[in-house]
Amino acid sequence: MLKIVLFGTGNVASHLLKAFQNSAKAEIIQVYNRSEAGLKNLKTKVSTTTDLKQVKEADIYMISIPDDIIPDFVSKIANRKALIVHTSGSTPLLNEAERNGVFYPLQTFSKDKPVDFKNVPLCLEADTPADYDLLKSIAESISTKVFAVSTSQRKSLHLSAVFACNFTNHLYAVAEEICRQKDLPFEILKPLIKETADKIKNDSPKNVQTGPAIRKDQTTIAFHLNQLESKELKEIYTILTQSIQSQHD
Amino acid sequence: MLKIVLFGTGNVASHLLKAFQNSAKAEIIQVYNRSEAGLKNLKTKVSTTTDLKQVKEADIYMISIPDDIIPDFVSKIANRKALIVHTSGSTPLLNEAERNGVFYPLQTFSKDKPVDFKNVPLCLEADTPADYDLLKSIAESISTKVFAVSTSQRKSLHLSAVFACNFTNHLYAVAEEICRQKDLPFEILKPLIKETADKIKNDSPKNVQTGPAIRKDQTTIAFHLNQLESKELKEIYTILTQSIQSQHD
């Protein structure tokens, strides 16, 4: 078994900890966190520490902490022999350590909602082919979706995920608010939301676009804009309508 | 069995035709269409006509034709005794006929993709309680999700569906395009899209918002805006980021 020390106890870290419990290839032998608070619920499950000097030797140090403190933190452990990987979508492959890598799970994680890790895409990068293969072997032990993704690709992937996940969720929130104002239960929209996501399983979203924008149905578009009271929502409606039309021109 | 004549052969009409094949309460006894073309594939399944004079007597005339020609069309059959309903989200309850109603299925339909009609919300409205009950009885014979929705509510529902479905699908298309430009397979985003839609099954989208906008992570936001070359996409990124932040302030 390959040995991993995990740094951090946030959403991604806690899902990784669970995922590796079922790995036949690697085990997390220790969790480091800056403060005791995050470690409280882990003490019965795994060895923990808040002291960098107490961090055990391992094959891989996996760093799952806020993006903006990653480079600083890595410099503190860069003298170790382990392959040092971070789990961040927006951080480049670092070069502080002897051996550097990236182990980026592309998924939206919530603390309380379990995730089927077998379906979480793992985006890997490493300095050397040997270390890439090492990461691949442990990645394949917890997921069926493993991808080689360069720093430049990962940068775009992270951006595209903001559109496909964060912005999409906000459009759900806008729709919920429009319903709420008319005493309509949000339940009524859920089958539509599900079907919209299902439709692109086997087809390009561009090919299944529907609605007044792509039909250039100006009557309905004007009617909708007239209904929206918020200036911000009018702008969102207008720019997304334009964007649909320019993509299909 | 209640008798229905269906007018139109588009996406909604063809899914309704299939759905009523399994109804124990009502049957479609005839399909009318303006042109022969749309009826070609139906002739072996149901009686068809292109001649309004040949339209049979029935309990319900169900009109599933483009929104902009509904009022004109209804005036041509308004002298009939049947309850006349349309299936449009953006058309008010009409008053041309003796008995008027609305039978609006809130779903995105594709010609080729089968839909489980039991889960399609049916939004009903009628002039009288008796006709509402009539519509409810046939609606409940094909779907488990039946709602009373007024003209004013349906107007908002249709608008909210544009956000939750049409605009959401376009964000998927934007994400796909960003991936394509970096030779990333769109497959890699699909689990994220699925999880984003799954997350709101049991939670308000407002409560599960994630990403740089809600974290007010200005470094990542600036980094993303810098990556986007298209002026339109920059605008979409900016206004959606603002909208997330103003919803959560």
Side-chain angles (χ1 to χ4, degrees), chain B residues 68-138:
Chain B
D68 52 342
I69 57 174
I70 292 174
D72 241 30
F73 186 80
V74 167
S75 66
K76 289 183 198 159
I77 53 169
N79 62 332
R80 301 293 192 108
K81 275 181 191 151
L83 168 60
I84 298 184
V85 302
H86 68 70
T87 63
S88 159
S90 62
T91 306
L93 179 67
L94 298 174
N95 55 15
E96 292 279 343
E98 183 81 16
R99 296 162 58 203
N100 306 277
V102 181
F103 194 92
Y104 169 47
L106 177 62
Q107 187 50 281
T108 171
F109 295 105
S110 319
K111 272 256 148 136
D112 303 327
K113 188 171 182 297
V115 161
D116 178 10
F117 223 92
K118 286 268 166 242
N119 287 318
V120 174
L122 294 175
C123 308
L124 311 182
E125 188 177 14
D127 290 325
T128 66
D131 279 339
Y132 179 82
D133 288 344
L134 183 72
L135 290 180
K136 190 167 174 238
S137 73
I138 68 161

Side-chain angles (χ1 to χ4, degrees), chain B residues 30-39 43 48-55 73:
Chain B
Q30 189 183 33
V31 176
Y32 164 91
N33 199 50
R34 201 163 40 168
S35 72
E36 278 290 346
L39 298 171
K43 286 185 181 295
T48 64
T49 183
T50 57
D51 181 358
L52 275 183
K53 288 183 208 126
Q54 301 298 321
V55 167
F73 186 80

Side-chain angles (χ1 to χ4, degrees), chain A residues 67 90 106-110 113-115 119-121 123 145 147-149 152-179 182-206 208-213 215 217 220 223-225 227-228 231-233 235-248, chain B residues 67 90 106-110 113-115 119-121 123 145 147-149 152-179 182-206 208-213 215 217 220 223-225 227-228 231-233 235-248:
Chain A
D67 293 357
S90 61
L106 177 61
Q107 188 49 282
T108 171
F109 295 105
S110 318
K113 187 172 182 296
V115 161
N119 287 316
V120 173
C123 308
K145 297 179 195 297
F147 296 86
V149 173
S152 156
Q153 286 178 314
R154 196 171 54 254
K155 211 167 78 167
S156 292
L157 194 55
H158 190 254
L159 173 62
S160 71
V162 169
F163 283 87
C165 168
N166 305 149
F167 289 166
T168 289
N169 182 74
H170 183 57
L171 293 185
Y172 299 159
V174 169
E176 182 181 34
E177 178 59 21
I178 294 171
C179 285
K182 292 275 180 162
D183 290 325
L184 285 161
F186 185 49
E187 290 307 310
I188 203 170
L189 280 177
K190 289 184 178 175
L192 180 67
I193 286 172
K194 181 179 185 308
E195 179 69 10
T196 304
D198 279 354
K199 258 189 174 180
I200 55 123
K201 276 185 193 161
N202 302 307
D203 218 332
S204 161
K206 195 179 166 182
V208 296
Q209 185 67 49
T210 55
R215 289 199 310 271
D217 175 352
T220 302
F223 187 64
H224 282 166
L225 283 171
Q227 275 175 261
L228 289 166
K231 188 169 158 286
E232 211 161 61
L233 292 187
E235 272 186 65
I236 292 172
Y237 191 101
T238 303
I239 184 83
L240 287 173
T241 296
Q242 276 171 18
S243 181
I244 290 169
Q245 291 176 349
S246 62
Q247 193 185 37
H248 288 269
Chain B
D67 293 357
S90 62
L106 177 62
Q107 187 50 281
T108 171
F109 295 105
S110 319
K113 188 171 182 297
V115 161
N119 287 318
V120 174
C123 308
K145 296 178 196 297
F147 297 87
V149 173
S152 155
Q153 286 179 315
R154 195 171 55 255
K155 212 166 78 168
S156 291
L157 195 55
H158 191 254
L159 172 62
S160 71
V162 169
F163 283 88
C165 168
N166 306 149
F167 289 166
T168 289
N169 182 74
H170 182 58
L171 294 184
Y172 299 159
V174 168
E176 182 182 35
E177 177 58 22
I178 295 171
C179 285
K182 291 276 180 160
D183 289 324
L184 285 160
F186 185 47
E187 289 308 310
I188 203 171
L189 280 177
K190 289 184 180 177
L192 180 67
I193 286 172
K194 181 178 186 306
E195 178 69 11
T196 304
D198 279 354
K199 258 188 174 181
I200 55 124
K201 276 186 195 161
N202 302 307
D203 217 331
S204 162
K206 193 177 167 181
V208 297
Q209 184 66 50
T210 54
R215 289 199 311 269
D217 175 351
T220 302
F223 186 63
H224 282 168
L225 282 171
Q227 276 176 260
L228 289 166
K231 188 169 158 284
E232 211 161 61
L233 291 187
E235 271 185 66
I236 292 172
Y237 191 101
T238 304
I239 185 81
L240 287 173
T241 296
Q242 275 171 17
S243 181
I244 290 169
Q245 291 175 348
S246 62
Q247 193 185 39
H248 289 270

